[in-house]
Amino acid sequence: MFVGGAVLLTLDSLAGMLGAVMCWAVGVLLVVMLVIGTRVQFIVDDDGLTLVHYLRTHRIPWEQIAVIEQSNTYWTTGAVVVVLKHPPGRRITALATTDRLALYRGENPFRFIDSLAQLRWPAQAAIAAHRRWLAASSR
């Protein structure tokens, strides 16, 4: 489409204007895909977890979290799964923590290839922070 638009740009008519619009549309589409595609994040802080997905952000305070698990399903292997208290059993998967995105996080993607049961770094961090919050809130 981009090449077709560039060819049409060489014409001095309505087709040239159409080519300009096609090139502009492809450029905007690429920028939007880049921004949305690089948006995923997993943030652990003192107040709770923040899961930033492609189009939605989940801010989950520690009070709402029942348990933190690690996914073993095919597409989301190694991902942090947050199980909420209300509604009971609702599960939210942190897409930024899957094994498929390990390289983007700066981790060795082949480190956990043999062991599905071993906790990954994001899961360890989230579970440790949740345990610290539970210990502090029980005093």
Side-chain angles (χ1 to χ4, degrees):
M1 187 168 154
F2 188 73
V3 172
V7 168
L8 289 175
L9 273 173
T10 62
L11 302 174
D12 290 332
S13 65
L14 184 61
M17 189 60 111
L18 177 64
V21 170
M22 287 172 58
C23 289
W24 181 81
V26 169
V28 168
L29 182 65
L30 290 174
V31 168
V32 167
M33 287 174 50
L34 180 68
V35 168
I36 290 175
T38 58
R39 189 170 183 264
V40 293
Q41 295 179 25
F42 178 70
I43 303 168
V44 179
D45 59 20
D46 292 339
D47 299 324
L49 298 175
T50 304
L51 313 175
V52 181
H53 292 159
Y54 297 107
L55 299 174
R56 186 171 182 189
T57 299
H58 301 277
R59 179 74 188 126
I60 308 169
W62 293 120
E63 298 88 27
Q64 293 180 5
I65 298 174
V67 68
I68 297 172
E69 301 173 346
Q70 181 172 283
S71 174
N72 288 328
T73 62
Y74 174 73
W75 195 256
T76 59
T77 302
V80 173
V81 178
V82 180
V83 181
L84 301 179
K85 292 179 182 177
H86 302 289
R90 179 171 180 226
R91 302 165 66 85
I92 302 174
T93 303
L95 298 178
T97 61
T98 64
D99 284 353
R100 296 176 186 275
L101 296 178
L103 187 62
Y104 296 108
R105 292 190 308 264
E107 299 174 18
N108 182 356
F110 301 107
R111 179 167 184 207
F112 298 106
I113 206 159
D114 294 332
S115 174
L116 291 175
Q118 187 177 0
L119 284 176
R120 310 315 195 253
W121 299 116
Q124 290 177 7
I127 291 171
H130 189 231
R131 286 180 180 163
R132 282 193 305 271
W133 180 84
L134 287 172
S137 66
S138 66
R139 291 181 200 170

